[in-house]
Amino acid sequence: MHCGRVIWSGGSRLGRSSLLVEMSMILSASVIRVRDGLPLSASTDYEQGTGVQECRKYFKMLSKKLAQLPDRCTLKTGHYNINFISSLGVSYMMLCTENYPNVLAFSFLDELQKEFITTYNMMKTNTAVRPYCFIEFDNFIQRTKQRYNNPRSLSTKINLSDMQMEIKLRPPYQISMCELGSANGVTSAFSVDYKGAGKISSAHQRLEPATLSAIVAFILSLLCGALNLIRGFHAIESLLQAQCPLVFLPLFPSQVSFIPAGVQF
C-alpha cells in the first residue's frame, strides 16, 4: 500500500484538512528498560508545545507500568498518540500526531527495536545503572524519524504489508486514561484479555531477577540462621548438664570424665 494513500485516507476519515494531514509526523521516541522504567536513550529534539510537554508526563507514567502491559500498546492523548512495543526486557516508545498511520508508527518502532538489539547485547541493557547511558543511539532515532516523516520516500524502501497484516491480526492494546491513572492507587487496574499476550494482571506480573545484593543478603541470612541453630543446641546441652550432672552423657565421648557405677545408657 502506498504510504501517501494511507495518510490521505486517514485524514479524510477524521475530517482533517490537507494542512493537518501534511503535519502528520513522529515527534519523539525513547528506549526504556521494562523492569524498572530506566530510560536508556531518547531523541533530543522534543517539540516545545504545551500538548507535547504534557505527553512527557505520560511517558514517565507508562514507563513505570511497562511490566504490567502487553507488548504492543497505544495511548491516545488528545491530538497525540503514544505507541510502544516491548521485547527482551526493553520497550521502544514514540509520540506522534493523532493522524499518523498506525502501520507506519509500529513499523518505525520495529526498526528501532531491530537496530537496538543488533547494537547492544542484553548484558549491557540489564546492567545499565545510569539514565540515557545509550544516548548515542539517538543518531539512529533521528535518521529513522526523518525517513518516516517523509512517507513519499519511504514507499520505495519498506514493505508495509507484513506490518499491516500483523496489526490486523494482533491489534495494539488501547490504554485508557483511567488505567494510566491507577498508578497512584492501591491496586492495579490492568487486567486485560489481549490477543497473543493472554490475560495480564497485577497478580501475574513477571518476576524480576534477583540482584547481587539480594543474593548476598539471602546467604548471610542462612548463615545467621545456622549459627543460631548451633547456639540453641549448645544451650539445650548446657541446661541438661546443669539439671542432671551425673547421668548426662555429653555429645562427645572425649568429654566423659566420670560415669557412676550401675548407670546404664
Side-chain angles (χ1 to χ4, degrees):
M1 176 167 30
H2 192 280
C3 298
R5 292 180 60 184
V6 172
I7 292 181
W8 278 100
S9 63
S12 61
R13 184 168 59 250
L14 296 173
R16 298 295 184 185
S17 65
S18 60
L19 177 61
L20 288 177
V21 171
E22 292 175 356
M23 292 175 60
S24 171
M25 61 188 301
I26 297 173
L27 300 175
S28 63
S30 295
V31 181
I32 303 165
R33 190 164 61 193
V34 170
R35 76 168 187 262
D36 55 5
L38 180 74
L40 302 176
S41 185
S43 55
T44 55
D45 59 343
Y46 280 106
E47 300 288 338
Q48 298 300 317
T50 304
V52 176
Q53 292 289 337
E54 186 70 20
C55 288
R56 292 192 193 184
K57 301 177 182 179
Y58 299 135
F59 265 56
K60 294 180 180 179
M61 296 174 72
L62 284 170
S63 297
K64 297 177 180 179
K65 305 182 80 69
L66 287 172
Q68 304 173 33
L69 289 166
D71 61 351
R72 179 184 294 161
C73 296
T74 295
L75 173 67
K76 297 184 180 297
T77 61
H79 297 301
Y80 305 96
N81 289 343
I82 297 176
N83 305 292
F84 69 85
I85 60 175
S86 300
S87 176
L88 300 177
V90 179
S91 184
Y92 308 86
M93 192 176 299
M94 56 92 77
L95 173 68
C96 62
T97 54
E98 62 177 338
N99 53 347
Y100 194 81
N102 263 358
V103 65
L104 289 181
F106 285 100
S107 181
F108 167 77
L109 293 174
D110 188 59
E111 282 203 35
L112 296 190
Q113 172 188 315
K114 291 177 180 177
E115 181 66 19
F116 192 85
I117 291 175
T118 302
T119 307
Y120 307 103
N121 59 46
M122 291 185 62
M123 179 68 70
K124 289 185 177 180
T125 58
N126 288 335
T127 57
V129 294
R130 294 184 298 104
Y132 305 106
C133 56
F134 304 123
I135 193 61
E136 67 277 3
F137 188 71
D138 175 49
N139 295 328
F140 180 81
I141 295 177
Q142 297 290 359
R143 293 195 304 269
T144 310
K145 189 177 71 170
Q146 290 175 3
R147 287 175 49 228
Y148 275 83
N149 281 341
N150 186 9
R152 291 184 179 180
S153 64
L154 264 180
S155 60
T156 59
K157 296 181 180 179
I158 63 174
N159 183 4
L160 299 178
S161 58
D162 293 340
M163 180 59 67
Q164 188 177 25
M165 180 61 67
E166 185 175 348
I167 291 177
K168 182 178 180 180
L169 295 176
R170 197 168 64 96
Y173 174 67
Q174 302 291 324
I175 305 173
S176 67
M177 283 297 182
C178 62
E179 287 175 322
L180 189 63
S182 67
N184 297 324
V186 177
T187 59
S188 174
F190 289 108
S191 181
V192 297
D193 288 318
Y194 179 68
K195 292 182 179 179
K199 189 168 185 178
I200 298 177
S201 65
S202 58
H204 297 84
Q205 298 178 21
R206 290 174 291 181
L207 296 178
E208 295 183 6
T211 62
L212 179 60
S213 59
I215 295 174
V216 172
F218 177 72
I219 295 175
L220 291 176
S221 298
L222 288 179
L223 292 176
C224 291
L227 290 175
N228 289 333
L229 187 62
I230 294 173
R231 290 177 179 175
F233 282 132
H234 283 301
I236 294 174
E237 180 183 357
S238 299
L239 180 63
L240 292 177
Q241 285 179 339
Q243 292 179 351
C244 307
L246 296 180
V247 300
F248 179 73
L249 180 65
L251 294 179
F252 302 99
S254 61
Q255 296 179 1
V256 179
S257 57
F258 172 74
I259 302 177
V263 178
Q264 297 181 356
F265 296 94

